Amino acid sequence: MDLPSRISEEEIDRFLDGELPPDRHAAIEAALATDPALADRIAADRRIMDALAGARAATPRARAETLARARALERSLRAPRHGPALRRAAIAAGFVAAGWFGHAATGWIGVGESARQEDFLAAARHALRLAELDAGVRFAEETAEARVARLAASLDIAMPALPASWVVRDVRLHPWNGRTGLVVTADTARLGTVTLVAAAAEGEDLPPRAAGDPAMPTIAWRAGRTTFALMGSAAPVALKAAAEEIGAAPRPEGRRAPLGPEAAPGRPEAT
Amino acid sequence: MTKVQLDVLPHLDALLRFARTLTGDDGDADELVQEALARALAFRRSYDPGRPLLAWLLAILRNTFATGEARRRAEIRRNRALAALADRFEPAAQEDRVDLNKTTAAFDALPLEQAEALHLVGLLGFTYRDAAELLDVPIGTVMSRLNRGRAALRAHLEPGGRAAQHRLRIVGGRDGSS
């Protein structure tokens, strides 16, 4: 068998780069002993790559700023994958805990007992109980959507169907003035990541409107004895459109008037 | 289950060296890596922890280079390197080792596509498949670029370009398209 005559350029490269099957690699190794031209060629390519590796061994010096950016990226990659979403959920839960979107000073969403002061220890016990409930009743096969529905039902929250395009990332409970809020964080195509907070509340339905916080655009409304706040980094007008879509979606039966501007005549619309 | 490797600093040298191959200049290499790291931070959610971190970083580095000012400067450097190589070319004497300075000069004069293919496969040990994925070209194109890059280096670095016109009875070969 005249092996060298059957060696192509492609095979030489594959041989050098370790891309040949073991039997073919061994055949070429054997041929090197009997074919000086082949041996010269392989040796030349190896010499050049060795020299190239030597010439390229010196690394350009990294400046302090480059190192700092590398460390920043490293920290970021090590952070939990849904860090931003969870941080948003935490902020949203904080708003709920503070009774922010039912603030009495606005005179807008009067959630009744929002001003009631809670004893710190009682609140802490409540949070702990919820955490236990939250962790203890997770079902292995439960989808995020099923979890939203189950928790909403257990909290007497009139949770509407979420837009089908939303991908729910996180569902959690959070104590709120002695009650419990449901915090849902989802990825959306148009709005980016959003967080929807829902909590049981007394009072008439109220249409969506912007609630001013430049750091966290928020649309709040009340429907079916449930107060909602939709938060995200999208423009308030886009959030409001999404809020109206959610508000128009079917809700569990037994709830009160449907959401809409007509639900609260005389209320100014804000965007 | 394999632990996900999220350490960036161990890859910094590899990034700087690849950036040096792209830009042909140490200062531009550092700037390019800085910019690429900033982009990687902005697009960190696009990283799939199931894939090698270095390949992701190199792809971002390469994209950053492709859209940046450094590319224009690199092109000028490559043309100058090629002209200088042609001016002072002297066939090397028969040696067991290849001169590092001449190697650097010959490599710096290679077309970018050939240099980056040689860097990925020859220096970083990428498989053809991984290199093709990173470069976003078919495997055959990677092989063509490697073959032409090696041929050019042989022509410049081997005595009389001897190996460039090796006496093997070659079957086939490629048309050199990329």
Short mmCIF file of all heavy atoms in Angstrom, two decimals, chain B residues 72-121:
data_model
loop_
_atom_site.label_atom_id
_atom_site.label_comp_id
_atom_site.label_asym_id
_atom_site.label_seq_id
_atom_site.Cartn_x
_atom_site.Cartn_y
_atom_site.Cartn_z
N ARG B 72 -9.97 48.85 11.80
CA ARG B 72 -9.38 49.65 10.72
C ARG B 72 -7.87 49.79 10.94
O ARG B 72 -7.08 49.61 10.02
CB ARG B 72 -10.05 51.03 10.67
CG ARG B 72 -9.73 51.84 9.44
CD ARG B 72 -10.36 53.22 9.52
NE ARG B 72 -9.90 53.96 10.70
CZ ARG B 72 -8.73 54.58 10.76
NH1 ARG B 72 -7.92 54.55 9.75
NH2 ARG B 72 -8.39 55.23 11.86
N ARG B 73 -7.51 50.08 12.19
CA ARG B 73 -6.07 50.21 12.49
C ARG B 73 -5.36 48.89 12.26
O ARG B 73 -4.22 48.84 11.79
CB ARG B 73 -5.88 50.69 13.93
CG ARG B 73 -6.35 52.12 14.17
CD ARG B 73 -5.78 52.67 15.46
NE ARG B 73 -6.26 51.97 16.64
CZ ARG B 73 -7.37 52.28 17.29
NH1 ARG B 73 -8.13 53.27 16.86
NH2 ARG B 73 -7.74 51.61 18.36
N ALA B 74 -6.01 47.78 12.61
CA ALA B 74 -5.39 46.47 12.45
C ALA B 74 -5.15 46.16 10.98
O ALA B 74 -4.12 45.56 10.62
CB ALA B 74 -6.27 45.40 13.09
N GLU B 75 -6.09 46.58 10.16
CA GLU B 75 -5.94 46.33 8.72
C GLU B 75 -4.72 47.07 8.18
O GLU B 75 -3.95 46.52 7.38
CB GLU B 75 -7.23 46.80 8.02
CG GLU B 75 -7.53 46.08 6.72
CD GLU B 75 -7.58 44.57 6.87
OE1 GLU B 75 -8.22 44.08 7.82
OE2 GLU B 75 -6.94 43.89 6.06
N ILE B 76 -4.55 48.29 8.63
CA ILE B 76 -3.38 49.07 8.20
C ILE B 76 -2.10 48.39 8.67
O ILE B 76 -1.13 48.26 7.91
CB ILE B 76 -3.47 50.51 8.77
CG1 ILE B 76 -4.66 51.24 8.12
CG2 ILE B 76 -2.16 51.26 8.55
CD1 ILE B 76 -4.99 52.56 8.77
N ARG B 77 -2.10 47.92 9.92
CA ARG B 77 -0.90 47.24 10.45
C ARG B 77 -0.58 45.99 9.65
O ARG B 77 0.57 45.70 9.37
CB ARG B 77 -1.15 46.84 11.91
CG ARG B 77 -0.91 47.97 12.87
CD ARG B 77 -0.93 47.47 14.31
NE ARG B 77 -1.23 48.59 15.16
CZ ARG B 77 -2.39 48.82 15.73
NH1 ARG B 77 -3.38 47.95 15.59
NH2 ARG B 77 -2.59 49.88 16.46
N ARG B 78 -1.62 45.24 9.30
CA ARG B 78 -1.40 44.01 8.54
C ARG B 78 -0.77 44.31 7.18
O ARG B 78 0.15 43.61 6.74
CB ARG B 78 -2.74 43.30 8.34
CG ARG B 78 -2.91 42.09 9.17
CD ARG B 78 -4.31 41.53 9.10
NE ARG B 78 -4.83 41.44 10.45
CZ ARG B 78 -4.38 40.61 11.37
NH1 ARG B 78 -3.42 39.77 11.07
NH2 ARG B 78 -4.86 40.61 12.59
N ASN B 79 -1.27 45.32 6.53
CA ASN B 79 -0.72 45.68 5.21
C ASN B 79 0.74 46.10 5.33
O ASN B 79 1.58 45.74 4.51
CB ASN B 79 -1.56 46.80 4.58
CG ASN B 79 -2.93 46.30 4.17
OD1 ASN B 79 -3.10 45.10 3.90
ND2 ASN B 79 -3.91 47.17 4.12
N ARG B 80 1.04 46.86 6.39
CA ARG B 80 2.43 47.29 6.60
C ARG B 80 3.32 46.09 6.89
O ARG B 80 4.44 46.00 6.40
CB ARG B 80 2.50 48.28 7.77
CG ARG B 80 2.03 49.66 7.40
CD ARG B 80 2.16 50.61 8.58
NE ARG B 80 1.60 51.91 8.30
CZ ARG B 80 1.17 52.75 9.22
NH1 ARG B 80 1.25 52.42 10.50
NH2 ARG B 80 0.68 53.92 8.88
N ALA B 81 2.79 45.16 7.70
CA ALA B 81 3.58 43.98 8.06
C ALA B 81 3.88 43.14 6.82
O ALA B 81 4.98 42.62 6.65
CB ALA B 81 2.82 43.14 9.09
N LEU B 82 2.88 43.06 5.94
CA LEU B 82 3.06 42.27 4.72
C LEU B 82 4.10 42.93 3.82
O LEU B 82 4.98 42.26 3.25
CB LEU B 82 1.71 42.15 3.99
CG LEU B 82 1.68 41.23 2.79
CD1 LEU B 82 2.06 39.80 3.19
CD2 LEU B 82 0.29 41.23 2.16
N ALA B 83 4.04 44.27 3.70
CA ALA B 83 5.01 44.99 2.86
C ALA B 83 6.41 44.82 3.43
O ALA B 83 7.38 44.59 2.69
CB ALA B 83 4.62 46.46 2.78
N ALA B 84 6.53 44.95 4.74
CA ALA B 84 7.84 44.82 5.38
C ALA B 84 8.39 43.42 5.19
O ALA B 84 9.59 43.24 4.96
CB ALA B 84 7.72 45.16 6.87
N LEU B 85 7.52 42.46 5.26
CA LEU B 85 7.95 41.07 5.11
C LEU B 85 8.48 40.83 3.70
O LEU B 85 9.51 40.16 3.51
CB LEU B 85 6.75 40.16 5.37
CG LEU B 85 7.04 38.70 5.75
CD1 LEU B 85 7.76 38.64 7.08
CD2 LEU B 85 5.75 37.92 5.82
N ALA B 86 7.82 41.40 2.73
CA ALA B 86 8.24 41.22 1.33
C ALA B 86 9.57 41.92 1.09
O ALA B 86 10.44 41.40 0.39
CB ALA B 86 7.18 41.79 0.40
N ASP B 87 9.75 43.11 1.73
CA ASP B 87 10.98 43.87 1.51
C ASP B 87 12.21 43.15 2.04
O ASP B 87 13.25 43.13 1.42
CB ASP B 87 10.87 45.24 2.20
CG ASP B 87 9.98 46.16 1.39
OD1 ASP B 87 9.69 45.80 0.24
OD2 ASP B 87 9.57 47.20 1.92
N ARG B 88 12.10 42.60 3.23
CA ARG B 88 13.30 42.08 3.88
C ARG B 88 13.37 40.56 3.84
O ARG B 88 14.14 39.96 4.58
CB ARG B 88 13.36 42.56 5.31
CG ARG B 88 12.35 41.91 6.21
CD ARG B 88 12.36 42.52 7.59
NE ARG B 88 11.43 41.85 8.46
CZ ARG B 88 10.91 42.39 9.55
NH1 ARG B 88 11.24 43.62 9.89
NH2 ARG B 88 10.08 41.72 10.30
N PHE B 89 12.54 39.95 3.00
CA PHE B 89 12.51 38.50 3.01
C PHE B 89 13.84 37.90 2.58
O PHE B 89 14.39 38.21 1.53
CB PHE B 89 11.40 37.98 2.08
CG PHE B 89 11.38 36.49 1.98
CD1 PHE B 89 10.98 35.72 3.06
CD2 PHE B 89 11.82 35.85 0.83
CE1 PHE B 89 11.00 34.35 2.99
CE2 PHE B 89 11.83 34.47 0.76
CZ PHE B 89 11.42 33.71 1.84
N GLU B 90 14.36 37.08 3.45
CA GLU B 90 15.57 36.31 3.12
C GLU B 90 15.29 34.88 3.49
O GLU B 90 14.89 34.60 4.62
CB GLU B 90 16.76 36.79 3.94
CG GLU B 90 17.16 38.22 3.64
CD GLU B 90 18.18 38.74 4.65
OE1 GLU B 90 18.73 37.89 5.40
OE2 GLU B 90 18.37 39.94 4.71
N PRO B 91 15.52 33.98 2.57
CA PRO B 91 15.28 32.58 2.89
C PRO B 91 16.08 32.16 4.11
O PRO B 91 17.25 32.50 4.24
CB PRO B 91 15.76 31.84 1.64
CG PRO B 91 15.70 32.85 0.56
CD PRO B 91 15.98 34.17 1.19
N ALA B 92 15.41 31.47 5.02
CA ALA B 92 16.07 31.06 6.25
C ALA B 92 17.05 29.92 5.98
O ALA B 92 16.89 29.15 5.05
CB ALA B 92 15.01 30.58 7.25
N ALA B 93 18.07 29.89 6.80
CA ALA B 93 19.01 28.78 6.71
C ALA B 93 18.35 27.54 7.32
O ALA B 93 17.37 27.65 8.06
CB ALA B 93 20.28 29.12 7.47
N GLN B 94 18.87 26.40 6.98
CA GLN B 94 18.33 25.16 7.56
C GLN B 94 18.57 25.18 9.07
O GLN B 94 19.69 25.25 9.54
CB GLN B 94 19.04 23.96 6.96
CG GLN B 94 18.62 22.63 7.56
CD GLN B 94 17.27 22.18 7.00
OE1 GLN B 94 17.06 22.18 5.80
NE2 GLN B 94 16.39 21.80 7.88
N GLU B 95 17.51 25.16 9.82
CA GLU B 95 17.63 25.20 11.28
C GLU B 95 16.59 24.26 11.88
O GLU B 95 15.60 23.93 11.25
CB GLU B 95 17.36 26.61 11.81
CG GLU B 95 18.39 27.63 11.40
CD GLU B 95 17.96 29.04 11.80
OE1 GLU B 95 16.77 29.21 12.15
OE2 GLU B 95 18.79 29.93 11.77
N ASP B 96 16.88 23.88 13.11
CA ASP B 96 15.89 23.07 13.80
C ASP B 96 14.80 23.94 14.40
O ASP B 96 13.72 23.47 14.70
CB ASP B 96 16.56 22.27 14.93
CG ASP B 96 17.43 21.16 14.35
OD1 ASP B 96 17.16 20.77 13.20
OD2 ASP B 96 18.36 20.73 15.03
N ARG B 97 15.15 25.21 14.62
CA ARG B 97 14.17 26.10 15.23
C ARG B 97 13.88 27.26 14.29
O ARG B 97 14.71 27.66 13.49
CB ARG B 97 14.70 26.63 16.56
CG ARG B 97 14.90 25.53 17.60
CD ARG B 97 15.35 26.13 18.91
NE ARG B 97 14.37 27.09 19.40
CZ ARG B 97 14.70 28.07 20.24
NH1 ARG B 97 15.92 28.22 20.65
NH2 ARG B 97 13.76 28.90 20.66
N VAL B 98 12.70 27.80 14.43
CA VAL B 98 12.32 28.95 13.61
C VAL B 98 12.47 30.19 14.46
O VAL B 98 12.08 30.19 15.64
CB VAL B 98 10.86 28.80 13.13
CG1 VAL B 98 10.47 29.97 12.26
CG2 VAL B 98 10.70 27.50 12.36
N ASP B 99 13.05 31.22 13.90
CA ASP B 99 13.26 32.46 14.62
C ASP B 99 11.92 33.07 15.08
O ASP B 99 11.00 33.22 14.29
CB ASP B 99 13.99 33.44 13.69
CG ASP B 99 14.34 34.72 14.38
OD1 ASP B 99 13.44 35.58 14.50
OD2 ASP B 99 15.48 34.85 14.83
N LEU B 100 11.88 33.43 16.35
CA LEU B 100 10.60 33.91 16.89
C LEU B 100 10.20 35.26 16.29
O LEU B 100 9.01 35.52 16.06
CB LEU B 100 10.68 34.03 18.42
CG LEU B 100 10.86 32.73 19.22
CD1 LEU B 100 10.66 32.98 20.70
CD2 LEU B 100 9.88 31.66 18.74
N ASN B 101 11.21 36.12 16.08
CA ASN B 101 10.87 37.43 15.51
C ASN B 101 10.32 37.29 14.10
O ASN B 101 9.37 37.96 13.71
CB ASN B 101 12.11 38.33 15.49
CG ASN B 101 12.49 38.78 16.89
OD1 ASN B 101 11.63 38.88 17.77
ND2 ASN B 101 13.77 39.03 17.10
N LYS B 102 10.95 36.40 13.34
CA LYS B 102 10.46 36.18 11.97
C LYS B 102 9.07 35.54 12.01
O LYS B 102 8.22 35.84 11.16
CB LYS B 102 11.43 35.27 11.21
CG LYS B 102 12.72 35.95 10.82
CD LYS B 102 13.61 34.98 10.07
CE LYS B 102 14.96 35.62 9.73
NZ LYS B 102 15.91 34.64 9.21
N THR B 103 8.88 34.68 12.97
CA THR B 103 7.56 34.04 13.09
C THR B 103 6.50 35.09 13.38
O THR B 103 5.43 35.10 12.77
CB THR B 103 7.57 33.01 14.23
OG1 THR B 103 8.62 32.09 13.99
CG2 THR B 103 6.24 32.28 14.32
N THR B 104 6.84 35.99 14.31
CA THR B 104 5.87 37.05 14.65
C THR B 104 5.59 37.91 13.42
O THR B 104 4.43 38.24 13.14
CB THR B 104 6.44 37.93 15.79
OG1 THR B 104 6.63 37.11 16.94
CG2 THR B 104 5.50 39.06 16.13
N ALA B 105 6.64 38.26 12.70
CA ALA B 105 6.46 39.11 11.53
C ALA B 105 5.59 38.42 10.48
O ALA B 105 4.70 39.04 9.88
CB ALA B 105 7.82 39.47 10.94
N ALA B 106 5.85 37.13 10.27
CA ALA B 106 5.07 36.39 9.27
C ALA B 106 3.61 36.23 9.72
O ALA B 106 2.68 36.36 8.91
CB ALA B 106 5.70 35.02 9.04
N PHE B 107 3.43 35.97 10.99
CA PHE B 107 2.06 35.79 11.50
C PHE B 107 1.29 37.11 11.44
O PHE B 107 0.11 37.13 11.07
CB PHE B 107 2.12 35.26 12.94
CG PHE B 107 0.80 34.83 13.48
CD1 PHE B 107 0.14 33.71 12.99
CD2 PHE B 107 0.18 35.55 14.50
CE1 PHE B 107 -1.08 33.31 13.48
CE2 PHE B 107 -1.04 35.16 15.01
CZ PHE B 107 -1.67 34.04 14.50
N ASP B 108 1.95 38.21 11.80
CA ASP B 108 1.27 39.51 11.78
C ASP B 108 0.86 39.91 10.37
O ASP B 108 -0.03 40.74 10.19
CB ASP B 108 2.19 40.59 12.36
CG ASP B 108 2.27 40.49 13.88
OD1 ASP B 108 1.47 39.76 14.47
OD2 ASP B 108 3.15 41.16 14.48
N ALA B 109 1.54 39.32 9.37
CA ALA B 109 1.22 39.68 7.98
C ALA B 109 0.14 38.80 7.38
O ALA B 109 -0.32 39.04 6.27
CB ALA B 109 2.49 39.60 7.14
N LEU B 110 -0.27 37.76 8.11
CA LEU B 110 -1.32 36.87 7.59
C LEU B 110 -2.65 37.61 7.50
O LEU B 110 -2.94 38.48 8.33
CB LEU B 110 -1.52 35.67 8.52
CG LEU B 110 -0.49 34.54 8.50
CD1 LEU B 110 -0.91 33.47 9.50
CD2 LEU B 110 -0.36 33.95 7.11
N PRO B 111 -3.47 37.25 6.53
CA PRO B 111 -4.85 37.79 6.53
C PRO B 111 -5.53 37.43 7.86
O PRO B 111 -5.26 36.35 8.42
CB PRO B 111 -5.51 37.06 5.36
CG PRO B 111 -4.37 36.67 4.47
CD PRO B 111 -3.21 36.39 5.38
N LEU B 112 -6.37 38.33 8.32
CA LEU B 112 -7.01 38.15 9.63
C LEU B 112 -7.69 36.79 9.76
O LEU B 112 -7.55 36.11 10.79
CB LEU B 112 -8.04 39.26 9.85
CG LEU B 112 -8.89 39.15 11.11
CD1 LEU B 112 -8.01 39.29 12.35
CD2 LEU B 112 -9.97 40.22 11.12
N GLU B 113 -8.41 36.36 8.71
CA GLU B 113 -9.15 35.11 8.80
C GLU B 113 -8.24 33.91 9.05
O GLU B 113 -8.60 32.99 9.79
CB GLU B 113 -9.96 34.87 7.52
CG GLU B 113 -11.05 35.90 7.26
CD GLU B 113 -10.53 37.19 6.69
OE1 GLU B 113 -9.33 37.26 6.34
OE2 GLU B 113 -11.31 38.15 6.62
N GLN B 114 -7.07 33.93 8.42
CA GLN B 114 -6.14 32.83 8.60
C GLN B 114 -5.48 32.89 9.98
O GLN B 114 -5.27 31.87 10.63
CB GLN B 114 -5.08 32.86 7.50
CG GLN B 114 -5.66 32.63 6.10
CD GLN B 114 -4.65 32.88 5.00
OE1 GLN B 114 -3.44 32.84 5.21
NE2 GLN B 114 -5.15 33.14 3.79
N ALA B 115 -5.14 34.11 10.40
CA ALA B 115 -4.48 34.27 11.70
C ALA B 115 -5.38 33.82 12.84
O ALA B 115 -4.96 33.10 13.75
CB ALA B 115 -4.06 35.73 11.89
N GLU B 116 -6.66 34.20 12.78
CA GLU B 116 -7.53 33.84 13.91
C GLU B 116 -7.85 32.34 13.90
O GLU B 116 -7.97 31.71 14.96
CB GLU B 116 -8.81 34.68 13.93
CG GLU B 116 -9.71 34.53 12.74
CD GLU B 116 -10.93 35.43 12.85
OE1 GLU B 116 -11.11 36.15 13.84
OE2 GLU B 116 -11.74 35.41 11.89
N ALA B 117 -7.92 31.73 12.71
CA ALA B 117 -8.15 30.28 12.65
C ALA B 117 -6.94 29.54 13.23
O ALA B 117 -7.10 28.59 14.02
CB ALA B 117 -8.41 29.84 11.21
N LEU B 118 -5.73 29.98 12.86
CA LEU B 118 -4.53 29.35 13.39
C LEU B 118 -4.42 29.56 14.90
O LEU B 118 -3.99 28.66 15.64
CB LEU B 118 -3.28 29.94 12.72
CG LEU B 118 -2.88 29.31 11.38
CD1 LEU B 118 -1.76 30.12 10.73
CD2 LEU B 118 -2.42 27.86 11.59
N HIS B 119 -4.80 30.74 15.36
CA HIS B 119 -4.74 31.02 16.79
C HIS B 119 -5.68 30.08 17.57
O HIS B 119 -5.30 29.48 18.57
CB HIS B 119 -5.10 32.48 17.06
CG HIS B 119 -4.81 32.93 18.46
ND1 HIS B 119 -3.92 33.94 18.76
CD2 HIS B 119 -5.25 32.48 19.66
CE1 HIS B 119 -3.84 34.09 20.07
NE2 HIS B 119 -4.66 33.23 20.64
N LEU B 120 -6.91 29.98 17.07
CA LEU B 120 -7.90 29.16 17.79
C LEU B 120 -7.52 27.68 17.81
O LEU B 120 -7.54 27.03 18.86
CB LEU B 120 -9.29 29.33 17.17
CG LEU B 120 -9.95 30.70 17.34
CD1 LEU B 120 -11.23 30.78 16.52
CD2 LEU B 120 -10.25 30.97 18.81
N VAL B 121 -7.16 27.16 16.65
CA VAL B 121 -6.90 25.72 16.55
C VAL B 121 -5.47 25.39 16.97
O VAL B 121 -5.25 24.47 17.77
CB VAL B 121 -7.17 25.22 15.11
CG1 VAL B 121 -6.78 23.75 14.97
CG2 VAL B 121 -8.63 25.43 14.73
#
